[in-house]
């Protein structure tokens, strides 16, 4: 290169640094792209997104192409830098050129372009694809050779080169994405999406109306009593039974019963029973995600939850499952949490014994144990292993619980005092 002027070599060296910066930034931009946003743009018809997606289908080829280009440029820049240094400073120029070139390459060809690409991957990767796509075709023989040698070396050390990495997301990963999408998704929609992901963690036992709260009609009652129950019922479907809920016979569609009796002008049990359907039974422990599909498949809206012995444990409806996703409806068969839990000024909460532990944990961000029992009454009886007296205080996790009312062998009302609240009040 003796016939080439020093100025020309310096200009060439600058160009080499710029090209190196291009390859470095392109690699980082391509690898840090949001793959799901890229897929979305490609499906919408964005040609550049499709080109980038095609390049990323074979990441080994793309990385090989970038590394080949980057290393060739850097080695050439090193050679030119050495020549320029020797021309300007003699033998000492080798050390000077090495130091200066190392600094320039690190700052302008590595750190700076890669940082910019990491911050703005689409703005870097999309324009880069216009040059990388044809370069990949031109350099394919060399890329293929390099990848072939790499695969052979990997097999020699026992590493599988044909492993396919799945791009599918797990539920926990989806949950993280939803949690981090607050600027794009409203809080309400975010909560709904998270509730859908949690359906498999919740079963019918957690949301069912317990047996003692099921509204039913004893068809052995006199007709006037039955009509009175029908008239005052807030529910669209009512369990019909003989003498006891254990002898449930059918599920009455109240509106249909009224329609039939009005059309025929016959207000009798026989006409009413024509609006009754066969009872649909749901095994306890069924996940909500499974039960929702079963309700849809069987065209049912209400089911009686039974245990392994066939005994009725409660009642679950489609509305109950939907409430887990979208929140409470005014037509809910069970009382709202606001009616069962009353926050006090001192930070404590007065709660009915029938309140759901799970709902309380969700509403107040508590961590009361909910694995063994569904209600506050059940949780405390499980913990104490006896029916406590009024005034008893028990600590569960980080909560002090005072028993306020006990009736009919059931805890009717309690007061929950988070320990944290007590400490804060002492500090104040």
């Amino acid at each position: 290169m003796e016939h080439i002027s020093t100025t020309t070599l310096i200009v060439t060296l600058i160009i080499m640094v710029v090209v190196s910066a291009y390859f470095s930034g392109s690699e980082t931009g391509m690898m840090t792209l949001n793959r799901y946003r890229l897929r979305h743009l490609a499906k919408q018809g964005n040609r550049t997104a499709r080109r980038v997606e095609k390049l990323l289908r074979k990441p080994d080829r793309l990385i090989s192409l970038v590394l080949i280009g980057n290393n060739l440029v850097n080695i050439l820049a090193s050679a030119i830098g050495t020549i320029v240094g020797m021309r300007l400073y003699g033998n000492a120029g080798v050390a000077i050129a090495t130091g200066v070139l190392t600094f320039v390459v690190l700052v302008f060809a590595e750190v700076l372009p890669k940082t910019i690409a990491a911050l703005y991957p689409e703005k870097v990767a999309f324009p880069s694809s216009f040059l990388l796509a044809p370069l990949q075709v031109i350099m394919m023989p060399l890329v293929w050779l390099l990848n072939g040698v790499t695969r052979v070396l990997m097999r020699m050390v026992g590493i599988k080169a044909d492993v396919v990495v799945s791009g599918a997301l797990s539920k926990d990963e989806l949950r993280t994405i939803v949690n981090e999408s607050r600027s794009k998704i409203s809080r309400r929609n975010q909560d709904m999406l998270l509730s859908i992901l949690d359906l498999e963690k919740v079963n019918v036992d957690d949301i069912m109306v317990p047996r003692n709260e099921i509204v039913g009609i004893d068809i052995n009652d006199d007709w006037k009593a039955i009509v009175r129950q029908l008239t005052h019922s807030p529910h669209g479907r009512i369990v019909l039974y003989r003498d006891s809920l254990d002898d449930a016979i059918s599920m009455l569609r109240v509106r249909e019963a009224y329609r039939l009796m009005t059309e025929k002008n016959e207000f009798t049990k026989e006409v009413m029973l024509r609006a009754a359907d066969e009872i649909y039974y749901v095994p306890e422990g069924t996940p909500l995600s499974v039960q929702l599909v079963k309700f849809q498949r069987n065209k049912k809206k209400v089911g009686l939850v039974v245990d392994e012995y066939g005994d009725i444990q409660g009642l679950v409806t489609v509305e109950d499952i939907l409430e887990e996703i979208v929140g409470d409806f005014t037509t809910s068969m069970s009382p709202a949490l606001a009616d069962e839990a009353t926050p006090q000024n001192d930070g404590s909460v007065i709660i009915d014994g029938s309140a759901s532990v799970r709902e309380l944990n969700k509403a107040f961000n508590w961590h009361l144990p909910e694995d063994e029992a569904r209600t506050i009454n059940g949780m405390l009886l499980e913990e104490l292993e006896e029916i406590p007296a009024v005034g008893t205080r028990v600590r569960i996790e980080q909560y002090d619980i005072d028993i306020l009312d006990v009736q009919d062998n059931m805890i009717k009302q309690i007061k929950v005092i988070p320990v944290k609240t007590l400490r804060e009040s002492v500090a104040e």
Side-chain angles (χ1 to χ4, degrees):
M1 293 187 180
E2 294 181 358
H3 62 284
I4 301 176
S5 67
T6 302
T7 303
T8 302
L9 290 177
I10 293 175
V11 171
T12 304
L13 182 60
I14 294 173
I15 294 174
M16 293 297 102
V17 172
V18 172
V19 174
S20 178
Y22 163 78
F23 281 114
S24 296
S26 298
E27 178 187 12
T28 302
M30 289 285 183
M31 295 302 131
T32 56
L33 276 172
N34 185 323
R35 300 298 176 88
Y36 298 96
R37 173 172 168 77
L38 179 64
R39 194 173 301 165
H40 171 69
L41 292 174
K43 288 181 178 179
Q44 284 189 326
N46 187 308
R47 292 183 179 180
T48 306
R50 288 179 178 176
R51 185 184 302 108
V52 173
E53 189 179 36
K54 184 177 180 181
L55 287 170
L56 289 172
R57 285 175 190 164
K58 299 287 187 180
D60 56 335
R61 294 181 181 178
L62 178 62
I63 292 173
S64 296
L65 172 65
V66 171
L67 291 178
I68 289 171
N70 207 4
N71 281 281
L72 283 175
V73 169
N74 286 340
I75 292 171
L76 182 59
S78 177
I80 294 175
T82 301
I83 294 173
V84 171
M86 292 181 67
R87 285 186 180 182
L88 295 177
Y89 304 104
N91 292 333
V94 176
I96 296 173
T98 300
V100 172
L101 189 60
T102 299
F103 175 80
V104 170
V105 169
L106 282 176
V107 174
F108 296 101
E110 293 292 334
V111 178
L112 183 62
K114 286 187 176 182
T115 302
I116 294 173
L119 293 173
Y120 307 100
E122 287 186 18
K123 292 182 179 180
V124 172
F126 282 17
S128 297
S129 66
F130 287 99
L131 184 57
L132 288 176
L135 270 178
Q136 190 175 62
V137 176
I138 296 170
M139 302 286 288
M140 183 55 67
L142 188 56
V143 170
W144 181 86
L145 176 62
L146 182 64
N147 285 344
V149 173
T150 303
R151 287 194 183 95
V152 171
L153 293 174
M154 290 174 68
R155 290 195 187 109
M156 289 175 63
V157 295
I159 300 176
K160 295 182 179 178
D162 55 351
V163 175
V164 178
V165 179
S166 174
L169 294 175
S170 68
K171 289 185 178 64
D172 290 334
E173 290 169 335
L174 280 172
R175 189 176 288 104
T176 300
I177 290 174
V178 173
N179 281 324
E180 293 180 353
S181 302
R182 293 180 181 177
S183 61
K184 304 293 184 180
I185 305 175
S186 69
R187 179 59 184 271
R188 182 174 179 79
N189 290 342
Q190 191 179 38
D191 290 341
M192 288 172 60
L193 289 171
L194 291 173
S195 296
I196 292 173
L197 293 174
D198 287 336
L199 280 185
E200 287 188 359
K201 296 182 178 180
V202 186
N203 56 48
V204 293
D205 305 15
D206 297 316
I207 67 166
M208 69 181 182
V209 177
R211 176 192 172 100
N212 64 325
E213 295 179 15
I214 295 177
V215 176
I217 294 178
D218 184 355
I219 62 170
N220 289 337
D221 282 346
D222 64 89
W223 178 241
K224 288 184 179 179
I226 292 175
V227 171
R228 186 163 54 251
Q229 287 178 279
L230 284 174
T231 303
H232 293 89
S233 174
H235 312 302
R237 284 171 171 77
I238 301 177
V239 180
L240 298 180
Y241 61 87
R242 293 189 183 94
D243 300 326
S244 168
L245 192 61
D246 291 321
D247 192 13
I249 58 173
S250 58
M251 189 70 67
L252 180 68
R253 289 171 288 146
V254 176
R255 184 178 297 178
E256 181 67 11
Y258 273 121
R259 187 186 69 80
L260 289 174
M261 290 188 290
T262 302
E263 283 183 357
K264 295 182 177 296
N265 199 25
E266 295 181 24
F267 293 87
T268 63
K269 288 184 184 180
E270 290 73 18
V271 177
M272 179 192 73
L273 289 173
R274 294 177 188 174
D277 296 327
E278 182 181 353
I279 292 178
Y280 175 67
Y281 292 101
V282 178
E284 65 177 352
T286 304
L288 296 190
S289 56
V290 174
Q291 189 54 48
L292 186 60
V293 174
K294 287 185 176 180
F295 271 140
Q296 184 181 37
R297 185 180 300 157
N298 294 293
K299 301 187 184 304
K300 300 291 184 181
K301 294 184 178 181
V302 183
L304 291 180
V305 180
V306 295
D307 62 15
E308 58 183 319
Y309 304 106
D311 295 330
I312 296 173
Q313 301 299 310
L315 180 145
V316 64
T317 68
V318 171
E319 286 82 2
D320 293 330
I321 300 178
L322 293 179
E323 282 181 357
E324 286 296 306
I325 301 173
V326 301
D328 291 340
F329 295 139
T330 56
T331 56
S332 175
M333 296 181 73
S334 57
L337 183 62
D339 300 326
E340 298 179 309
T342 307
Q344 305 298 300
N345 293 331
D346 61 357
S348 63
V349 184
I350 295 178
I351 303 170
D352 292 346
S354 60
S356 167
V357 178
R358 183 170 170 273
E359 291 299 323
L360 289 169
N361 285 339
K362 288 174 60 179
F364 296 102
N365 195 26
W366 288 350
H367 302 283
L368 292 169
E370 54 184 85
D371 295 332
E372 300 297 330
R374 175 180 175 271
T375 64
I376 285 292
N377 174 63
M379 180 195 73
L380 289 171
L381 294 181
E382 185 75 26
E383 177 72 20
L384 298 171
E385 298 182 346
E386 63 177 359
I387 299 173
V390 174
T392 301
R393 170 171 284 196
V394 59
R395 175 168 292 186
I396 299 179
E397 299 293 338
Q398 295 299 314
Y399 311 93
D400 283 334
I401 301 176
D402 293 335
I403 309 300
L404 303 182
D405 187 17
V406 178
Q407 297 178 25
D408 302 325
N409 297 325
M410 292 180 61
I411 300 171
K412 294 293 186 180
Q413 194 174 65
I414 65 166
K415 186 179 192 179
V416 177
I417 310 168
V419 176
K420 181 180 178 181
T421 303
L422 289 176
R423 290 174 180 170
E424 288 178 349
S425 61
V426 171
E428 291 174 357

